[in-house]
Amino acid sequence: MLRSWMRIFYSLVLAGGLMTNSAQSFAADSVSIGLTNASSDIALFIADAKGFFKEEDITPNFVAFDSAAKMIAPLGAGQLDVGGGAASSGLYNAIERGVGLKIVADKARNAPGFGFQSFLVRKALVDDGSVKTIADLKGRKVATVAQASSDASVLNEGLKSAGLGYGDVDKVYLGFPQQFVAYQNGAIDASITTEPTVSAILAAGTAVQLTSNDTFYPNAQTAVILYGQAFAEGKPDVAKRFMKAYVQAVRYYNDALANGKIAGKNGEDVVAIMAKYSTVKDPAVIRKMTAHAVDPNGSVNVDSLKKDWTFFKEQKQINGNVQVDQVVDLSFVNEAASELGPYKAAH
């Protein structure tokens, strides 16, 4: 109630042109947000570009990381409020140690037709006939974004689809921008890579697509939104307002989709936003890339998270007994979706 009255008060003062710079700064809550330079960051960018954060009195502070696994420590320490990326085994281990973290919303999934992650292979190996299928990657160097990320589980599913085991390839751990460079200098043979880096690599001609990941692991929950405990419990009002802005952005993004591309009603606007905020600046590349799916209400595919958890456990990457259900908290996203009302897709 106090916050509501404060927002009304500052709106009235602003209307009269009387607010000082320091008062304006006080009126908006700064929220630090971890990014992974993946196309799934787009809803966060939309929330900023379209003013959804501003409407909720939030000033975003974007911070880039190689992977969500590297966000865990700053999230737990309260140095980072929100994280966005693949759920990792390190997440469960951190919670076992008492670090306060929660999975609070969907960020990206490989729904059928929206395989924004791809199994790529170095073009030279295809040209000389060395690699024709995933099975031919046995003994070769395959990159994922991080050892403990859900991409490792995705790689495992891809290898299983070709009759290989997880230990049959030589794993290399590189962030997506580093994968681009690694293909150029021949340092890796294949990779599990996410858009927009997929399209950038394909445009460079250094790799080709073996398959999209939705073919062997459909509806994989490839990325999530994380809240640190200090943010979720210490600033619950800000956390709720952040989520409302985020879900609005997710819905705007969904209205930009058509036939697996960013080509719907809001398509050109979203392409322009991605070109402005992301590492891929060419709108033509963004138009060609396969879009990721994200639930318009922000709901998470818990079954997929449990499959990944089982893989982490089998690989002895999870030390304790923290279960997926203990980590997922959909109260923020459910409240936001309820407040915004049912999603109505644009036509």
Side-chain angles (χ1 to χ4, degrees):
M1 180 62 73
L2 178 60
R3 179 73 196 188
S4 298
W5 280 109
M6 288 174 66
R7 292 169 73 179
I8 293 171
F9 170 76
Y10 284 120
S11 296
L12 291 172
V13 176
L14 273 171
L18 301 176
M19 181 171 280
T20 65
N21 288 337
S22 60
Q24 288 183 45
S25 177
F26 175 77
D29 293 292
S30 179
V31 177
S32 57
I33 307 164
L35 306 174
T36 56
N37 292 313
S39 62
S40 60
D41 293 329
I42 186 60
L44 297 165
F45 298 150
I46 290 171
D48 185 31
K50 303 306 294 182
F52 299 139
F53 281 144
K54 186 176 181 180
E55 289 172 7
E56 297 300 325
D57 294 332
I58 287 172
T59 299
N61 176 27
F62 297 125
V63 184
F65 290 82
D66 287 343
S67 69
K70 294 183 179 179
M71 300 178 196
I72 291 174
L75 278 167
Q79 298 166 340
L80 191 67
D81 298 315
V82 179
S88 66
S89 58
L91 175 69
Y92 301 103
N93 291 333
I95 293 170
E96 180 75 22
R97 298 193 305 269
V99 177
L101 297 167
K102 291 290 183 183
I103 292 173
V104 294
D106 185 10
K107 187 168 184 273
R109 63 181 68 189
N110 279 302
F114 292 91
F116 79 112
Q117 280 190 319
S118 288
F119 209 140
L120 302 181
V121 63
R122 187 152 49 88
K123 188 174 184 296
L125 298 177
V126 174
D127 290 344
D128 68 13
S130 299
V131 176
K132 297 183 177 67
T133 68
I134 293 175
D136 297 323
L137 294 174
K138 185 173 183 178
R140 294 190 176 273
K141 293 182 178 180
V142 181
T144 61
V145 70
Q147 181 177 6
S149 77
S150 65
D151 284 359
S153 179
V154 171
L155 172 60
N156 181 57
E157 293 296 316
L159 295 172
K160 281 166 55 179
S161 74
L164 297 180
Y166 188 64
D168 286 334
V169 296
D170 181 10
K171 272 80 69 180
V172 179
Y173 307 109
L174 296 170
F176 298 124
Q178 288 71 43
Q179 290 179 18
F180 182 93
V181 176
Y183 275 119
Q184 290 182 319
N185 59 31
I188 57 175
D189 299 316
S191 65
I192 297 292
T193 308
T194 298
E195 292 283 17
T197 309
V198 169
S199 289
I201 290 172
L202 295 180
T206 53
V208 297
Q209 184 191 66
L210 274 179
T211 184
S212 60
N213 295 1
D214 59 314
T215 60
F216 59 80
Y217 192 173
N219 294 308
Q221 185 67 61
T222 57
V224 296
I225 296 294
L226 300 166
Y227 275 1
Q229 185 175 9
F231 182 63
E233 297 182 7
K235 301 177 181 178
D237 178 60
V238 184
K240 290 176 183 178
R241 286 186 280 116
F242 177 93
M243 190 58 71
K244 182 180 177 183
Y246 176 74
V247 173
Q248 284 180 286
V250 163
R251 293 181 175 189
Y252 193 89
Y253 170 76
N254 270 272
D255 287 342
L257 302 180
N259 302 315
K261 304 289 185 181
I262 303 176
K265 177 184 176 183
N266 300 333
E268 281 305 299
D269 194 21
V270 170
V271 167
I273 291 170
M274 185 171 287
K276 176 182 177 181
Y277 284 81
S278 80
T279 56
V280 178
K281 300 302 180 184
D282 187 348
V285 172
I286 297 170
R287 292 187 191 100
K288 289 179 181 178
M289 76 182 197
T290 300
H292 66 277
V294 57
D295 187 272
N297 292 321
S299 189
V300 172
N301 182 355
V302 175
D303 288 341
S304 173
L305 294 178
K306 289 181 177 179
K307 176 183 279 192
D308 296 342
W309 182 94
T310 299
F311 166 77
F312 295 144
K313 195 72 172 176
E314 290 172 348
Q315 292 295 311
K316 302 187 187 316
Q317 293 180 1
I318 292 180
N319 302 323
N321 296 306
V322 172
Q323 303 289 312
V324 171
D325 291 334
Q326 296 172 252
V327 181
V328 176
D329 178 2
L330 299 182
S331 62
F332 292 99
V333 78
N334 288 341
E335 182 173 337
S338 177
E339 186 173 345
L340 292 169
Y343 170 66
K344 297 179 180 179
H347 297 289

